[in-house]
Amino acid sequence: MEIDYVKIGLKVGLEIHQQLNTQTKLFCSCPPALFKEEPEITFLRRLRPTQSELGQVDPAAFFEFQKGVKVLYEANRATSCLVEMDEEPPHPLNMEAVEVVLTAALMMNMQPIDEVHVMRKTVIDGSNTTGFQRTCIIASDGWIKVGEKTIPMQAASLEEDAARKTGKEDAGKIIRYRIDRLGIPLIEVATAPVIYSPMEAQEVALAIGRILRDTGKVMRGLGTIRQDLNVSLPNGALIEIKGVQELELISKVVEYEVQRQLALIQVKEELRNRGVKADELKEEFIDVSEVFRQTKCKVIRKALDKKQKTMAVKLAGFAGLLKRELMPDFRVGTELSDRAKFWSRVGGIFHTDEMPAYGVTAEEVEALRKAAGASEEDTVVFVADTAENVQDALKAVVERAQEALAGVPAETRTAKEDGTTRYMRPRPGAARMYPETDIPPSTITSALVEKIRLNLPEPAEKKLERLMKEYRLNEKLAKQIIDSEYGVLFESIVKESGVAATTVAVFLTETLKALKRDGVQVEKVTENQVMEIFRSVGSGEITKEAVADVFVWLSKNEAKNLQDAIGALGLKMFSKAELETLVDQVISAKRQSVDQLGKNAFGMLMGIVMKEVRGKADPELVGKLLRERLK
Ligand SMILES: [Zn+2]
């Protein structure tokens, strides 16, 4: 069914974060780069809640602390120093990064602020060694045009990126983080919540992405851009969705979130019609281990063998609702299970709406219902684990079930690759920001703003016109180039290599898109390498047909160079002398046929020679040599 998003009152706001490709990180002189090797340094820290100066503790942060998690940080000397390790105060703010944000901000018609004050934002999941993230507003109150509509832009900020999670150990009690990413400058751009449809959200994000790329100073590739979406419906809730990595996924994420909220509103109405009351959803947990004494269910069997418990809770009036689908492959039961997993250490929950299944028999379900005092109208949720974990899990289940009576709980969710979202944590409370006292404020002078204003990159519409005129690209291809990450690279390649503009444009757009779809990690090939590949096409060293093969080879052999690729792929071109010898050989081998066919032998001979040299010789040159020899 087609949803009228305006009618249902959908509102979306975007927050786009993109890594900047500056010389150094934001608060030290390390390069903004990641490492793949084994770490040279590791150190263990315990998570602790940071008191803000107002003496308040962020509830989300405090909860993460309560889990008693330790963090193992990994580092190497080339990508981090004592600043990332929180052993040395931060250095002054990287002004190159400030200039990039100013550039983007001016392109979005924002007003730069006079003085940059770095603030601390509480983050205690371990992704920052300090327990906070540093952030500062650079400009505010602007707008961009997307199609006919004016989208107000709230602010452009500069932030330090966080450490990246590389794994877990000791049943989740130790989280591993790599601090190479910590401190890489990020621009954060936020729109007002004035976007009214999933497609519009995507178009706005694309437009912002284009402006950021036009600065020529952003990183490219997966993981360098992250979108957060604030999605709200009047009868639903404001949901913050974090970490959408692909711009092309945004419309789907919004669509699914709307579906989820609408379905939860329906569930609320149904519960009301059934007369279910919050006080009927009690934290009464019943030990049902006895019911499963002989069970064939592997999960429960394993728990009972370890002398753990199976406990159940009755959700009065919930029968059938837990299997209600909210998003593809995601049900009300999944909501409950996500909550349980978050607030305890259990792997998941069982409920009678999906029974009998997983080795649980109909007889066991019957006995379970009886033990829990459940009727046909009720659902029973049960969990097998340690007594403590089971209690925590079932408490979370009851809490989430109570929230279902009110509709959609406001929360922070995280986006998955298929566009669905999962519970991440409760919405963080206010008072998360407080001043960073280690860094003095920096002034943005009007002279600096003017210098940047005079050197702003060409806006997208102007560039489109120019690409079509200057490079004779058709409109579709020119648009694709502008939308791609290679707008700047395209022009340099054409100018330096002399290869036809259309050939370069098709490769940078359609071919790369197809390669990406086939699983090629296109971001592994640097812009310099792409440039080199085309230079060698221009100089006749390889043919344009070989470009994709060379590119794919380089993506899989990161430490190697173009000459290695040419060698490994056997792409070395035939020299003219080699071709002449080959042509002579083929003619003498086919002497008889040549005599019989006369002039008509050309096609046959051409076929034989080209089979030998395809991709390694220019067909025109082969034809010419062949014609000469046949004479
Ligand atoms: Zn450093």
Side-chain angles (χ1 to χ4, degrees):
M1 189 186 68
E2 196 72 17
I3 295 176
D4 185 339
Y5 292 102
V6 175
K7 203 169 149 196
I8 61 171
L10 171 68
K11 278 188 188 158
V12 183
L14 298 177
E15 242 177 58
I16 297 194
H17 306 85
Q18 172 124 38
Q19 287 179 348
L20 303 184
N21 194 6
T22 45
Q23 294 294 313
T24 68
K25 287 187 179 178
L26 202 48
F27 298 109
C28 66
S29 45
C30 294
L34 306 180
F35 73 94
K36 292 179 209 76
E37 303 76 29
E38 288 297 306
E40 294 169 354
I41 305 159
T42 59
F43 53 101
L44 195 65
R45 298 255 171 97
R46 185 187 291 275
L47 284 181
R48 56 181 195 277
T50 323
Q51 294 279 129
S52 78
E53 291 197 337
L54 298 169
Q56 287 174 305
V57 172
D58 178 351
F62 186 69
F63 168 70
E64 276 156 356
F65 160 73
Q66 274 186 319
K67 287 184 177 175
V69 174
K70 280 185 198 160
V71 185
L72 184 70
Y73 291 105
E74 306 172 334
N76 78 351
R77 286 181 184 85
T79 60
S80 51
C81 64
L82 293 172
V83 172
E84 288 92 331
M85 294 171 200
D86 193 26
E87 300 285 356
E88 185 185 306
H91 304 184
L93 186 62
N94 172 350
M95 285 308 282
E96 186 195 2
V98 173
E99 290 193 21
V100 180
V101 177
L102 276 174
T103 306
L106 291 177
M107 290 172 84
M108 298 183 207
N109 307 292
M110 290 191 209
Q111 308 301 319
I113 56 156
D114 300 329
E115 221 175 38
V116 182
H117 292 269
V118 179
M119 304 290 285
R120 296 175 170 182
K121 191 154 65 171
T122 308
V123 176
I124 105 150
D125 60 3
S127 60
N128 287 66
T129 48
T130 49
F132 52 80
Q133 179 192 30
R134 297 186 185 97
T135 176
C136 48
I137 292 189
I138 303 294
S140 63
D141 290 330
W143 53 268
I144 57 167
K145 270 281 210 208
V146 180
E148 293 301 302
K149 189 166 159 178
T150 301
I151 305 287
M153 303 298 300
Q154 289 180 333
S157 306
L158 188 53
E159 300 191 329
E160 55 179 355
D161 205 346
R164 58 193 174 110
K165 203 182 265 184
T166 44
K168 279 185 183 175
E169 278 166 31
D170 197 13
K173 286 188 190 122
I174 293 179
I175 312 174
R176 273 190 286 124
Y177 276 104
R178 201 161 269 214
I179 60 170
D180 48 4
R181 200 179 70 179
L182 182 58
I184 292 182
L186 283 179
I187 180 173
E188 186 203 82
V189 176
T191 74
V194 295
I195 296 163
Y196 303 130
S197 80
M199 211 15 112
E200 193 183 24
Q202 186 155 316
E203 281 161 11
V204 172
L206 280 169
I208 295 172
R210 208 177 287 143
I211 290 172
L212 297 184
R213 279 197 306 275
D214 282 343
T215 64
K217 282 283 188 181
V218 297
M219 303 249 198
R220 61 186 183 89
L222 201 65
T224 62
I225 190 161
R226 296 194 292 278
Q227 281 95 192
D228 295 350
L229 315 173
N230 292 310
V231 182
S232 72
L233 289 183
N235 297 322
L238 173 63
I239 298 293
E240 186 183 10
I241 299 171
K242 290 209 162 288
V244 184
Q245 296 213 349
E246 303 252 17
L247 289 165
E248 290 77 13
L249 205 58
I250 289 180
S251 63
K252 205 184 229 177
V253 171
V254 177
E255 262 171 50
Y256 286 162
E257 178 53 22
V258 170
Q259 270 181 36
R260 192 184 72 93
Q261 294 204 22
L262 291 178
L264 284 173
I265 293 167
Q266 264 181 11
V267 167
K268 172 186 87 173
E269 278 159 10
E270 201 153 330
L271 285 167
R272 188 193 295 149
N273 292 341
R274 291 182 187 186
V276 180
K277 303 265 175 344
D279 57 10
E280 289 164 12
L281 299 167
K282 295 190 194 94
E283 288 184 6
E284 281 172 3
F285 310 141
I286 300 123
D287 190 335
V288 292
S289 306
E290 197 51 32
V291 171
F292 295 100
R293 208 158 38 89
Q294 308 286 349
T295 195
K296 298 240 162 19
C297 172
K298 279 186 198 147
V299 177
I300 301 180
R301 179 79 270 149
K302 225 169 109 189
L304 292 180
D305 286 348
K306 281 196 273 184
K307 300 272 185 277
Q308 294 177 337
K309 286 199 179 313
T310 303
M311 295 188 87
V313 70
K314 177 177 86 175
L315 298 182
F318 268 69
L321 288 180
L322 268 57
K323 60 183 176 191
R324 185 69 59 83
E325 191 169 82
L326 301 175
M327 295 182 284
D329 272 332
F330 186 98
R331 294 157 203 284
V332 174
T334 327
E335 285 274 305
L336 267 55
S337 157
D338 280 356
R339 276 298 178 88
K341 284 192 268 189
F342 184 76
W343 293 96
S344 72
R345 291 187 195 283
V346 304
I349 62 169
F350 294 109
H351 57 80
T352 49
D353 282 2
E354 58 179 0
M355 293 292 153
Y358 307 112
V360 176
T361 63
E363 290 72 36
E364 284 168 333
V365 175
E366 201 48 46
L368 173 71
R369 283 186 171 284
K370 212 168 151 196
S375 74
E376 287 300 302
E377 276 100 62
D378 310 326
T379 292
V380 179
V381 175
F382 54 111
V383 180
D385 208 301
T386 64
E388 193 195 342
N389 287 349
V390 166
Q391 293 264 352
D392 287 345
L394 291 180
K395 252 172 117 163
V397 164
V398 171
E399 191 183 63
R400 180 63 189 85
Q402 285 170 342
E403 288 171 3
L405 296 170
V408 188
E411 61 198 20
T412 302
R413 303 179 66 83
T414 177
K416 298 279 159 193
E417 276 172 31
D418 64 359
T420 62
T421 59
R422 304 304 285 261
Y423 180 75
M424 188 175 170
R425 57 165 189 241
R427 292 267 293 163
R432 293 177 71 214
M433 296 259 238
Y434 51 106
E436 165 62 86
T437 41
D438 287 337
I439 303 166
S442 338
T443 312
I444 297 181
T445 61
S446 48
L448 175 63
V449 173
E450 271 327 291
K451 186 195 96 184
I452 291 170
R453 201 187 293 282
L454 288 173
N455 292 294
L456 285 186
E458 189 181 20
E461 319 86 73
K462 282 248 173 67
K463 190 167 182 178
L464 178 70
E465 243 170 69
R466 190 173 57 76
L467 288 182
M468 289 169 64
K469 215 169 127 196
E470 210 173 309
Y471 298 95
R472 307 193 167 205
L473 297 182
N474 62 39
E475 190 177 343
K476 186 179 161 221
L477 208 47
K479 264 198 181 129
Q480 282 179 334
I481 277 291
I482 289 175
D483 285 343
S484 79
E485 294 173 329
Y486 303 98
V488 181
L489 185 63
F490 162 75
E491 293 190 69
S492 324
I493 290 180
V494 175
K495 279 177 189 145
E496 280 190 39
S497 71
V499 177
T502 310
T503 306
V504 179
V506 168
F507 177 80
L508 292 177
T509 56
E510 283 158 23
T511 311
L512 282 190
K513 209 182 258 176
L515 291 178
K516 208 169 155 187
R517 231 184 354 250
D518 292 345
V520 176
Q521 291 179 283
V522 300
E523 65 281 356
K524 301 248 163 158
V525 183
T526 65
E527 297 198 352
N528 275 340
Q529 286 179 312
V530 178
M531 172 65 91
E532 263 188 84
I533 297 174
F534 277 100
R535 263 200 219 114
S536 67
V537 174
S539 68
E541 198 181 352
I542 61 171
T543 64
K544 63 178 194 214
E545 286 76 18
V547 169
D549 289 341
V550 172
F551 184 93
V552 172
W553 192 90
L554 286 172
S555 77
K556 290 180 185 154
N557 298 276
E558 276 179 87
K560 302 291 175 81
N561 63 29
L562 178 64
Q563 287 313 316
D564 298 328
I566 292 174
L569 294 168
L571 290 174
K572 200 98 198 106
M573 296 283 275
F574 278 73
S575 68
K576 196 175 167 201
E578 286 169 332
L579 280 179
E580 280 168 351
T581 315
L582 182 67
V583 165
D584 287 343
Q585 279 170 358
V586 171
I587 293 178
S588 59
K590 295 282 166 188
R591 188 86 246 168
Q592 257 190 330
S593 322
V594 173
D595 288 342
Q596 282 169 10
L597 291 166
K599 265 189 191 166
N600 297 331
F602 177 79
M604 173 197 72
L605 293 170
M606 186 73 186
I608 298 170
V609 177
M610 280 316 291
K611 204 175 158 195
E612 287 279 314
V613 303
R614 180 147 299 134
K616 301 176 201 174
D618 179 1
E620 251 175 73
L621 178 63
V622 174
K624 198 176 137 224
L625 291 175
L626 200 52
R627 245 178 236 113
E628 280 172 15
R629 287 304 206 259
L630 278 178
K631 270 184 203 158

